[in-house]
Coordinates of all heavy atoms in Angstrom, one line a residue:
M1 N -3.0 -19.0 -29.2 CA -3.6 -19.4 -27.9 C -2.9 -18.7 -26.8 O -1.7 -18.5 -26.8 CB -3.3 -21.0 -27.8 CG -4.4 -21.6 -26.9 SD -4.4 -23.3 -27.2 CE -3.3 -24.0 -25.9
T2 N -3.7 -18.3 -25.9 CA -3.2 -17.5 -24.7 C -3.5 -18.3 -23.4 O -4.5 -19.0 -23.3 CB -3.8 -16.1 -24.6 OG1 -5.2 -16.2 -24.4 CG2 -3.4 -15.3 -25.8
A3 N -2.6 -18.1 -22.5 CA -2.9 -18.7 -21.1 C -3.0 -17.6 -20.1 O -2.4 -16.6 -20.1 CB -1.6 -19.6 -20.8
A4 N -4.0 -17.9 -19.2 CA -4.3 -16.9 -18.1 C -3.1 -17.1 -17.1 O -2.9 -18.2 -16.6 CB -5.6 -17.1 -17.6
L5 N -2.6 -16.0 -16.6 CA -1.5 -16.1 -15.6 C -2.2 -15.7 -14.3 O -3.1 -14.7 -14.3 CB -0.4 -15.2 -16.0 CG 0.4 -15.6 -17.2 CD1 1.4 -14.5 -17.5 CD2 1.0 -16.9 -17.0
P6 N -1.8 -16.3 -13.2 CA -2.4 -15.8 -11.9 C -1.9 -14.4 -11.5 O -0.8 -14.0 -12.0 CB -1.8 -16.9 -10.9 CG -0.5 -17.4 -11.6 CD -0.8 -17.4 -13.0
A7 N -2.7 -13.7 -10.9 CA -2.4 -12.3 -10.4 C -1.2 -12.4 -9.6 O -1.0 -13.3 -8.7 CB -3.6 -11.7 -9.7
R8 N -0.3 -11.4 -9.7 CA 0.9 -11.3 -8.9 C 0.5 -11.0 -7.4 O -0.2 -10.0 -7.2 CB 1.9 -10.3 -9.5 CG 3.2 -10.4 -8.9 CD 4.0 -9.2 -9.4 NE 3.7 -8.1 -8.4 CZ 4.5 -7.1 -8.3 NH1 5.6 -7.0 -9.0 NH2 4.2 -6.2 -7.4
A9 N 1.0 -11.8 -6.6 CA 0.7 -11.5 -5.2 C 1.6 -10.3 -4.7 O 2.8 -10.3 -5.1 CB 1.0 -12.8 -4.3
E10 N 1.0 -9.4 -4.0 CA 1.8 -8.2 -3.5 C 2.6 -8.6 -2.3 O 2.0 -9.3 -1.4 CB 0.9 -7.0 -3.3 CG 0.2 -6.5 -4.5 CD 1.1 -5.8 -5.4 OE1 2.2 -5.4 -5.0 OE2 0.6 -5.6 -6.5
D11 N 3.8 -8.1 -2.2 CA 4.6 -8.4 -1.0 C 4.2 -7.3 0.0 O 4.4 -6.1 -0.2 CB 6.1 -8.4 -1.3 CG 7.0 -8.6 0.0 OD1 6.4 -8.8 1.0 OD2 8.2 -8.7 -0.2
R12 N 3.6 -7.7 1.1 CA 3.2 -6.7 2.1 C 4.1 -6.8 3.4 O 3.6 -6.3 4.5 CB 1.8 -7.0 2.5 CG 0.8 -6.7 1.4 CD -0.7 -7.1 1.7 NE -1.6 -6.6 0.7 CZ -1.9 -7.2 -0.4 NH1 -1.2 -8.4 -0.8 NH2 -2.7 -6.8 -1.3
R13 N 5.3 -7.3 3.3 CA 6.2 -7.3 4.4 C 6.9 -6.0 4.5 O 7.5 -5.5 3.5 CB 7.2 -8.4 4.3 CG 6.6 -9.8 4.5 CD 7.7 -10.8 4.2 NE 8.0 -10.7 2.8 CZ 8.7 -11.5 2.1 NH1 9.2 -12.6 2.8 NH2 9.0 -11.4 0.9
V14 N 6.9 -5.4 5.7 CA 7.5 -4.1 5.9 C 8.4 -4.2 7.2 O 8.0 -4.7 8.2 CB 6.5 -3.0 6.2 CG1 7.1 -1.7 6.4 CG2 5.6 -2.8 4.9
T15 N 9.6 -3.7 7.1 CA 10.6 -3.6 8.3 C 10.2 -2.3 9.0 O 10.3 -1.2 8.4 CB 12.0 -3.7 7.8 OG1 12.3 -4.9 7.2 CG2 12.9 -3.6 9.0
I16 N 9.8 -2.5 10.3 CA 9.5 -1.3 11.1 C 10.8 -1.0 11.9 O 11.3 -2.0 12.6 CB 8.3 -1.5 12.0 CG1 7.1 -2.0 11.2 CG2 8.0 -0.3 12.9 CD1 6.5 -0.9 10.3
V17 N 11.3 0.2 11.8 CA 12.6 0.6 12.4 C 12.3 1.6 13.5 O 11.5 2.6 13.2 CB 13.6 1.1 11.4 CG1 14.9 1.5 12.1 CG2 13.8 0.1 10.4
N18 N 12.8 1.4 14.7 CA 12.7 2.4 15.8 C 14.0 3.1 16.0 O 14.9 2.7 16.6 CB 12.3 1.7 17.1 CG 12.1 2.6 18.2 OD1 12.2 3.9 18.0 ND2 11.8 2.1 19.4
N19 N 14.0 4.4 15.4 CA 15.2 5.3 15.5 C 14.9 6.3 16.5 O 15.6 7.4 16.5 CB 15.6 5.9 14.2 CG 16.5 4.9 13.4 OD1 17.0 3.9 13.9 ND2 16.7 5.2 12.1
T20 N 13.9 6.2 17.4 CA 13.7 7.1 18.5 C 14.5 6.8 19.7 O 15.2 5.7 19.7 CB 12.2 7.1 18.9 OG1 11.9 5.9 19.6 CG2 11.3 7.3 17.7
G21 N 14.4 7.5 20.7 CA 15.1 7.2 22.0 C 14.2 6.5 23.0 O 14.5 6.3 24.1
Y22 N 13.0 6.0 22.5 CA 12.1 5.3 23.4 C 11.7 4.0 22.9 O 11.5 3.8 21.6 CB 10.8 6.3 23.5 CG 11.1 7.5 24.2 CD1 11.3 8.7 23.3 CD2 11.0 7.7 25.5 CE1 11.5 9.9 24.0 CE2 11.4 8.9 26.1 CZ 11.6 10.0 25.3 OH 11.8 11.2 25.9
T23 N 11.4 3.1 23.7 CA 10.9 1.7 23.3 C 9.5 1.8 22.8 O 8.6 2.5 23.4 CB 11.0 0.8 24.6 OG1 12.4 0.6 24.8 CG2 10.4 -0.6 24.2
I24 N 9.2 1.1 21.7 CA 7.8 0.9 21.2 C 7.2 -0.2 22.0 O 7.7 -1.3 21.9 CB 7.8 0.8 19.7 CG1 8.2 2.1 19.0 CG2 6.3 0.5 19.3 CD1 8.2 1.9 17.5
T25 N 6.1 0.1 22.8 CA 5.5 -1.1 23.6 C 4.4 -1.7 22.8 O 4.1 -2.8 23.2 CB 5.0 -0.5 24.9 OG1 4.1 0.5 24.7 CG2 6.2 0.0 25.8
N26 N 3.7 -1.0 22.0 CA 2.6 -1.5 21.2 C 2.7 -1.0 19.8 O 3.0 0.1 19.6 CB 1.3 -1.1 21.8 CG 1.1 -1.5 23.3 OD1 1.6 -0.7 24.2 ND2 0.6 -2.7 23.6
F27 N 2.3 -1.9 18.8 CA 2.2 -1.5 17.5 C 1.0 -2.1 16.8 O 0.8 -3.3 16.9 CB 3.6 -1.9 16.7 CG 3.5 -1.4 15.2 CD1 3.9 -0.1 14.9 CD2 3.1 -2.2 14.3 CE1 3.9 0.4 13.7 CE2 3.1 -1.8 12.9 CZ 3.4 -0.4 12.7
Y28 N 0.3 -1.3 16.1 CA -1.0 -1.7 15.4 C -0.9 -1.3 14.0 O -0.3 -0.2 13.6 CB -2.2 -1.0 16.1 CG -2.3 -1.2 17.5 CD1 -1.7 -0.3 18.4 CD2 -3.0 -2.3 18.1 CE1 -1.7 -0.5 19.8 CE2 -3.1 -2.4 19.5 CZ -2.5 -1.5 20.3 OH -2.5 -1.7 21.6
G29 N -1.4 -2.2 13.1 CA -1.5 -1.9 11.7 C -2.9 -2.4 11.2 O -3.0 -3.6 11.3
S30 N -3.7 -1.5 10.8 CA -5.0 -1.9 10.3 C -5.2 -1.4 8.9 O -4.8 -0.2 8.6 CB -6.1 -1.3 11.2 OG -6.0 -1.9 12.5
N31 N -5.8 -2.2 8.0 CA -6.0 -1.7 6.7 C -7.0 -0.5 6.8 O -7.8 -0.4 7.7 CB -6.5 -2.8 5.8 CG -8.0 -3.3 6.1 OD1 -8.9 -2.5 6.0 ND2 -8.0 -4.6 6.4
T32 N -7.0 0.4 5.8 CA -7.8 1.6 5.9 C -9.3 1.4 5.9 O -10.0 2.2 6.1 CB -7.3 2.6 4.7 OG1 -7.5 1.9 3.5 CG2 -5.8 3.0 4.9
G33 N -9.7 0.2 5.5 CA -11.1 -0.1 5.5 C -11.6 -0.6 6.8 O -12.8 -0.8 7.0
A34 N -10.7 -0.9 7.7 CA -11.2 -1.4 9.1 C -11.7 -0.3 9.9 O -11.4 0.9 9.8 CB -9.9 -2.0 9.8
D35 N -12.7 -0.7 10.7 CA -13.3 0.3 11.7 C -12.7 0.6 13.0 O -13.0 1.5 13.7 CB -14.8 -0.1 11.9 CG -15.7 -0.1 10.7 OD1 -15.4 0.7 9.9 OD2 -16.6 -1.0 10.7
S36 N -11.7 -0.3 13.2 CA -11.0 -0.2 14.6 C -9.6 -0.7 14.3 O -9.3 -1.4 13.4 CB -11.8 -0.9 15.6 OG -11.8 -2.3 15.4
W37 N -8.8 -0.5 15.4 CA -7.4 -1.0 15.4 C -7.5 -2.5 15.6 O -8.3 -3.0 16.5 CB -6.6 -0.4 16.5 CG -6.3 1.1 16.2 CD1 -6.8 2.1 16.8 CD2 -5.4 1.6 15.1 NE1 -6.4 3.3 16.2 CE2 -5.5 3.0 15.3 CE3 -4.6 1.0 14.2 CZ2 -4.8 3.8 14.4 CZ3 -3.9 1.8 13.3 CH2 -4.0 3.2 13.4
Q38 N -6.6 -3.3 14.9 CA -6.6 -4.8 15.1 C -5.7 -4.9 16.3 O -5.3 -4.1 17.0 CB -6.0 -5.3 13.9 CG -6.7 -5.1 12.6 CD -8.2 -5.4 12.6 OE1 -8.5 -6.5 13.0 NE2 -9.1 -4.5 12.3
E39 N -5.4 -6.2 16.7 CA -4.6 -6.5 17.9 C -3.2 -6.0 17.7 O -2.7 -5.7 16.7 CB -4.6 -8.1 18.1 CG -3.8 -8.8 16.9 CD -3.9 -10.4 17.1 OE1 -5.0 -10.8 17.3 OE2 -2.9 -10.9 17.0
D40 N -2.6 -5.9 18.9 CA -1.3 -5.4 19.0 C -0.3 -6.5 18.3 O -0.2 -7.6 18.8 CB -0.8 -5.2 20.5 CG 0.6 -4.8 20.7 OD1 1.3 -4.5 19.8 OD2 1.0 -4.9 21.9
I41 N 0.4 -6.0 17.3 CA 1.2 -6.9 16.5 C 2.4 -7.4 17.3 O 2.9 -8.5 17.2 CB 1.6 -6.3 15.2 CG1 0.4 -6.0 14.3 CG2 2.7 -7.1 14.5 CD1 0.7 -5.0 13.1
L42 N 2.9 -6.5 18.2 CA 4.1 -7.0 18.9 C 3.8 -7.9 20.0 O 4.6 -8.6 20.6 CB 4.7 -5.7 19.6 CG 5.4 -4.7 18.6 CD1 6.0 -3.5 19.4 CD2 6.5 -5.3 17.8
G43 N 2.5 -8.0 20.5 CA 2.2 -8.8 21.5 C 2.9 -8.5 22.8 O 2.9 -7.3 23.3
K44 N 3.6 -9.5 23.4 CA 4.4 -9.2 24.6 C 5.8 -8.7 24.3 O 6.5 -8.4 25.2 CB 4.5 -10.5 25.5 CG 3.1 -11.0 25.9 CD 3.3 -12.2 26.8 CE 1.9 -12.8 27.1 NZ 1.5 -12.7 28.4
D45 N 6.1 -8.6 23.0 CA 7.5 -8.2 22.6 C 7.6 -6.6 22.6 O 6.5 -6.0 22.7 CB 7.8 -8.6 21.2 CG 8.0 -10.1 21.2 OD1 8.4 -10.8 22.2 OD2 7.7 -10.7 20.1
L46 N 8.8 -6.1 22.6 CA 9.0 -4.6 22.7 C 9.9 -4.4 21.5 O 10.6 -5.2 21.1 CB 9.6 -4.2 24.0 CG 8.9 -4.5 25.3 CD1 9.7 -4.1 26.5 CD2 7.6 -3.7 25.3
L47 N 9.9 -3.2 21.0 CA 10.8 -2.8 20.0 C 11.7 -1.6 20.6 O 11.2 -0.4 20.6 CB 10.0 -2.2 18.7 CG 10.8 -1.9 17.4 CD1 11.7 -3.1 17.1 CD2 9.9 -1.6 16.3
P48 N 12.9 -2.0 21.0 CA 13.7 -0.9 21.6 C 14.4 0.0 20.7 O 14.3 -0.2 19.5 CB 14.8 -1.9 22.3 CG 14.9 -3.0 21.4 CD 13.5 -3.2 20.9
P49 N 14.8 1.2 21.1 CA 15.5 2.1 20.3 C 16.7 1.4 19.5 O 17.3 0.6 20.1 CB 16.1 3.1 21.3 CG 15.3 3.0 22.5 CD 14.9 1.6 22.6
G50 N 16.7 1.7 18.2 CA 17.7 1.0 17.3 C 17.3 -0.3 16.8 O 18.0 -0.9 16.0
G51 N 16.1 -0.8 17.3 CA 15.7 -2.2 16.9 C 14.8 -2.1 15.6 O 14.3 -1.0 15.2
S52 N 14.5 -3.2 15.1 CA 13.7 -3.4 13.9 C 12.9 -4.7 14.0 O 13.4 -5.6 14.6 CB 14.4 -3.2 12.6 OG 15.3 -4.3 12.4
V53 N 11.8 -4.7 13.3 CA 11.1 -6.0 13.2 C 10.4 -6.0 11.8 O 10.0 -5.0 11.3 CB 9.9 -6.0 14.3 CG1 8.9 -4.9 14.2 CG2 9.3 -7.4 14.3
V54 N 10.4 -7.2 11.2 CA 9.7 -7.4 9.9 C 8.2 -7.9 10.2 O 8.1 -8.8 10.9 CB 10.4 -8.4 9.0 CG1 9.6 -8.6 7.7 CG2 11.8 -7.9 8.7
I55 N 7.3 -7.1 9.6 CA 5.9 -7.5 9.8 C 5.2 -7.7 8.5 O 5.4 -6.9 7.5 CB 5.2 -6.3 10.5 CG1 5.7 -6.1 11.9 CG2 3.6 -6.6 10.6 CD1 5.1 -4.9 12.7
N56 N 4.5 -8.8 8.4 CA 3.7 -9.1 7.2 C 2.3 -8.6 7.3 O 1.5 -9.1 8.2 CB 3.7 -10.6 6.9 CG 3.1 -11.0 5.6 OD1 2.5 -10.1 4.9 ND2 3.2 -12.2 5.2
F57 N 1.9 -7.6 6.6 CA 0.6 -7.0 6.7 C -0.4 -7.6 5.8 O -1.6 -7.1 5.7 CB 0.7 -5.5 6.4 CG 1.4 -4.7 7.5 CD1 2.8 -4.4 7.4 CD2 0.7 -4.3 8.6 CE1 3.4 -3.8 8.4 CE2 1.4 -3.6 9.5 CZ 2.7 -3.3 9.5
D58 N -0.1 -8.8 5.3 CA -1.2 -9.5 4.5 C -2.2 -10.0 5.3 O -2.0 -11.1 6.0 CB -0.4 -10.6 3.6 CG -1.4 -11.2 2.7 OD1 -2.6 -10.9 2.6 OD2 -1.0 -12.2 1.9
D59 N -3.4 -9.4 5.4 CA -4.4 -9.8 6.3 C -5.6 -10.4 5.4 O -6.7 -10.6 5.8 CB -5.0 -8.7 7.1 CG -5.6 -7.5 6.2 OD1 -5.6 -7.6 4.9 OD2 -6.1 -6.5 6.8
S60 N -5.3 -10.8 4.2 CA -6.2 -11.5 3.3 C -7.4 -10.6 2.8 O -8.3 -11.1 2.2 CB -6.8 -12.7 3.9 OG -5.8 -13.6 4.2
S61 N -7.2 -9.2 3.1 CA -8.2 -8.3 2.6 C -8.0 -7.8 1.2 O -8.9 -7.3 0.6 CB -8.3 -7.1 3.6 OG -7.2 -6.3 3.5
G62 N -6.7 -7.9 0.8 CA -6.3 -7.3 -0.5 C -5.9 -5.9 -0.4 O -5.4 -5.3 -1.4
Y63 N -6.0 -5.3 0.7 CA -5.7 -3.9 0.8 C -4.1 -3.7 0.9 O -3.4 -4.6 1.4 CB -6.2 -3.4 2.3 CG -7.6 -2.9 2.3 CD1 -8.6 -3.8 2.5 CD2 -7.8 -1.5 2.1 CE1 -9.9 -3.3 2.5 CE2 -9.1 -1.0 2.1 CZ -10.2 -2.0 2.3 OH -11.5 -1.5 2.4
C64 N -3.7 -2.6 0.3 CA -2.3 -2.2 0.3 C -2.2 -1.0 1.3 O -1.0 -0.8 1.9 CB -1.8 -1.8 -1.0 SG -1.4 -3.3 -2.1
M65 N -3.2 -0.3 1.5 CA -3.2 0.9 2.4 C -3.5 0.6 3.8 O -4.6 0.0 4.0 CB -4.1 2.0 1.8 CG -3.9 2.4 0.4 SD -2.2 3.0 0.1 CE -2.3 4.6 0.7
F66 N -2.5 0.9 4.7 CA -2.6 0.6 6.1 C -2.4 1.8 6.9 O -1.7 2.8 6.5 CB -1.8 -0.5 6.6 CG -2.2 -1.9 6.3 CD1 -2.3 -2.4 5.0 CD2 -2.6 -2.7 7.3 CE1 -2.8 -3.6 4.7 CE2 -3.1 -4.0 7.1 CZ -3.1 -4.4 5.7
D67 N -3.1 1.9 8.1 CA -2.8 3.0 9.2 C -2.0 2.3 10.2 O -2.3 1.2 10.6 CB -4.1 3.5 9.7 CG -4.9 4.1 8.7 OD1 -4.5 4.7 7.7 OD2 -6.2 4.2 8.9
F68 N -1.0 3.0 10.6 CA 0.0 2.5 11.7 C -0.2 3.3 13.0 O -0.4 4.5 12.9 CB 1.5 2.6 11.3 CG 1.9 1.8 10.2 CD1 3.2 2.0 9.6 CD2 1.1 0.8 9.7 CE1 3.7 1.2 8.6 CE2 1.5 0.0 8.5 CZ 2.8 0.2 8.0
R69 N -0.2 2.6 14.2 CA -0.2 3.3 15.4 C 0.9 2.6 16.3 O 0.9 1.5 16.6 CB -1.5 3.1 16.1 CG -1.7 3.6 17.4 CD -3.1 3.4 18.0 NE -3.2 3.6 19.3 CZ -3.9 2.9 20.3 NH1 -4.7 2.0 19.8 NH2 -3.9 3.2 21.5
A70 N 1.8 3.6 16.7 CA 2.9 3.1 17.6 C 2.7 3.8 19.0 O 2.5 4.9 19.1 CB 4.3 3.6 17.0
V71 N 2.8 3.0 20.0 CA 2.6 3.5 21.4 C 4.0 3.3 22.0 O 4.6 2.2 22.0 CB 1.6 2.7 22.2 CG1 1.5 3.2 23.5 CG2 0.2 2.8 21.4
F72 N 4.6 4.4 22.6 CA 5.9 4.4 23.2 C 5.8 4.2 24.7 O 4.8 4.5 25.4 CB 6.5 5.6 22.8 CG 6.9 5.7 21.4 CD1 5.9 6.3 20.4 CD2 8.1 5.3 20.8 CE1 6.1 6.3 19.1 CE2 8.4 5.4 19.5 CZ 7.4 5.9 18.6
E73 N 6.9 3.9 25.3 CA 7.0 3.6 26.7 C 6.5 4.8 27.6 O 6.2 4.6 28.8 CB 8.4 3.2 27.2 CG 9.5 4.2 26.9 CD 10.8 3.7 27.2 OE1 11.1 2.8 28.0 OE2 11.8 4.2 26.7
D74 N 6.7 6.0 27.1 CA 6.3 7.2 27.9 C 4.9 7.6 27.6 O 4.4 8.6 28.2 CB 7.2 8.4 27.5 CG 7.1 8.8 26.0 OD1 6.5 8.2 25.3 OD2 7.7 9.8 25.7
G75 N 4.1 6.7 26.9 CA 2.7 7.0 26.7 C 2.4 7.7 25.4 O 1.2 7.8 25.0
D76 N 3.4 8.3 24.8 CA 3.1 9.0 23.5 C 2.7 8.0 22.4 O 3.1 6.8 22.4 CB 4.3 9.8 23.1 CG 4.6 11.1 23.8 OD1 3.6 11.4 24.5 OD2 5.7 11.6 23.6
E77 N 1.8 8.5 21.5 CA 1.4 7.7 20.4 C 1.7 8.5 19.1 O 1.6 9.7 19.1 CB 0.0 7.4 20.4 CG -0.5 6.5 21.6 CD -2.0 6.2 21.5 OE1 -2.7 6.5 20.5 OE2 -2.5 5.7 22.4
I78 N 2.0 7.7 18.1 CA 2.2 8.3 16.7 C 1.3 7.4 15.7 O 1.4 6.2 15.8 CB 3.6 8.2 16.2 CG1 4.5 9.1 17.0 CG2 3.5 8.7 14.7 CD1 6.0 9.1 16.6
I79 N 0.4 8.2 15.1 CA -0.5 7.5 14.1 C -0.2 8.0 12.7 O -0.1 9.3 12.5 CB -2.0 7.8 14.4 CG1 -2.3 7.1 15.7 CG2 -2.9 7.3 13.3 CD1 -3.7 7.5 16.2
D80 N 0.1 7.2 11.8 CA 0.5 7.4 10.4 C -0.6 6.7 9.6 O -0.9 5.6 9.7 CB 1.8 6.9 10.0 CG 2.9 7.6 10.8 OD1 3.3 8.8 10.4 OD2 3.5 7.1 11.8
Q81 N -1.2 7.5 8.7 CA -2.3 6.9 7.9 C -1.9 6.8 6.4 O -1.1 7.5 5.9 CB -3.5 7.9 8.0 CG -4.0 8.0 9.4 CD -5.2 9.0 9.5 OE1 -5.2 10.1 9.0 NE2 -6.2 8.5 10.3
K82 N -2.6 5.8 5.9 CA -2.4 5.6 4.4 C -1.1 5.2 4.0 O -0.5 5.9 3.0 CB -3.1 6.7 3.6 CG -4.6 6.8 3.9 CD -5.2 8.0 3.0 CE -6.7 8.1 3.4 NZ -7.3 9.1 2.7
I83 N -0.5 4.2 4.7 CA 0.9 3.8 4.3 C 0.7 2.6 3.3 O -0.1 1.6 3.6 CB 1.7 3.2 5.6 CG1 1.7 4.3 6.7 CG2 3.0 2.8 5.2 CD1 2.3 5.6 6.3
D84 N 1.3 2.7 2.2 CA 1.2 1.7 1.1 C 2.2 0.6 1.4 O 3.3 0.7 1.0 CB 1.3 2.3 -0.3 CG 1.1 1.3 -1.4 OD1 1.0 0.1 -1.1 OD2 0.9 1.7 -2.6
V85 N 1.7 -0.5 2.1 CA 2.6 -1.6 2.4 C 3.0 -2.4 1.3 O 3.9 -3.2 1.3 CB 2.0 -2.4 3.5 CG1 1.8 -1.7 4.7 CG2 0.7 -3.1 3.1
C86 N 2.4 -2.2 0.1 CA 2.7 -3.0 -1.2 C 4.0 -2.3 -1.8 O 4.5 -2.9 -2.7 CB 1.6 -3.1 -2.1 SG 0.2 -4.1 -1.4
T87 N 4.3 -1.1 -1.5 CA 5.4 -0.4 -2.2 C 6.5 0.0 -1.4 O 7.6 0.2 -1.9 CB 4.9 0.8 -3.0 OG1 4.3 1.8 -2.0 CG2 3.8 0.5 -4.0
I88 N 6.3 0.0 -0.1 CA 7.5 0.4 0.8 C 8.1 -0.9 1.4 O 7.3 -1.9 1.6 CB 7.0 1.4 2.0 CG1 6.1 0.7 3.0 CG2 6.5 2.7 1.4 CD1 6.0 1.5 4.2
G89 N 9.3 -0.9 1.7 CA 10.0 -2.0 2.4 C 10.3 -1.7 3.7 O 10.5 -2.6 4.6
T90 N 10.5 -0.4 4.1 CA 10.9 0.0 5.4 C 10.2 1.2 5.9 O 9.9 2.1 5.1 CB 12.4 0.3 5.4 OG1 13.1 -0.8 4.9 CG2 12.9 0.7 6.8
F91 N 9.7 1.2 7.1 CA 9.0 2.4 7.7 C 9.8 2.7 9.0 O 10.0 1.8 9.8 CB 7.6 2.1 8.0 CG 6.8 3.3 8.5 CD1 6.2 4.2 7.5 CD2 6.7 3.7 9.8 CE1 5.6 5.3 7.9 CE2 6.1 4.8 10.2 CZ 5.5 5.6 9.2
T92 N 10.4 3.9 9.1 CA 11.2 4.3 10.2 C 10.5 5.4 11.0 O 10.0 6.4 10.6 CB 12.5 4.9 9.7 OG1 13.2 3.8 8.8 CG2 13.5 5.2 10.8
Y93 N 10.6 5.1 12.4 CA 10.2 6.1 13.3 C 11.4 6.8 13.8 O 12.3 6.2 14.2 CB 9.4 5.5 14.6 CG 8.1 5.1 14.2 CD1 7.8 3.8 13.9 CD2 7.0 5.9 14.2 CE1 6.6 3.3 13.6 CE2 5.7 5.5 13.9 CZ 5.5 4.2 13.6 OH 4.2 3.7 13.2
N94 N 11.5 8.2 13.7 CA 12.6 9.0 14.1 C 12.3 9.9 15.3 O 11.2 10.3 15.5 CB 13.0 9.9 12.9 CG 13.7 9.0 11.8 OD1 14.6 8.3 12.1 ND2 13.2 9.2 10.6

């Protein structure tokens, strides 16, 4: 006799680290199947140089692949595509 086991839930929590000299004012993470950027994950918070934040990217879509968009205080943006949030634990901006 065999028993069915529930599928293992993937851990989609990622620590975002800011090792730049600029504050991150906005941060977006959207699954690669989304047509647009989702809401600013930081909201009214900021991510200063040397700071970090843990973000849970579990949006109930089942996706592991996400695109990240960081907006800095000087107006610069960095977009990183196809980040596997199920396998990485930390993502660092340098």
Side-chain angles (χ1 to χ4, degrees):
M1 207 156 96
T2 61
L5 297 174
R8 190 186 89 159
E10 298 287 344
D11 184 355
R12 292 176 172 82
R13 289 175 296 188
V14 177
T15 301
I16 305 298
V17 179
N18 182 4
N19 275 346
T20 71
Y22 298 94
T23 296
I24 296 175
T25 58
N26 305 86
F27 183 82
Y28 306 88
S30 296
N31 71 59
T32 57
D35 292 331
S36 63
W37 292 107
Q38 304 302 310
E39 66 186 47
D40 176 13
I41 294 170
L42 294 177
K44 295 181 189 251
D45 293 330
L46 302 174
L47 187 55
S52 65
V53 63
V54 177
I55 297 173
N56 186 353
F57 288 95
D58 188 356
D59 64 356
S60 301
S61 68
Y63 275 84
C64 283
M65 302 304 281
F66 276 70
D67 298 333
F68 293 172
R69 177 179 165 213
V71 180
F72 294 86
E73 64 185 332
D74 64 354
D76 283 350
E77 294 184 9
I78 297 176
I79 296 175
D80 294 284
Q81 297 178 314
K82 298 182 181 173
I83 307 300
D84 188 344
V85 299
C86 293
T87 61
I88 67 165
T90 302
F91 187 87
T92 302
Y93 286 95
N94 291 306

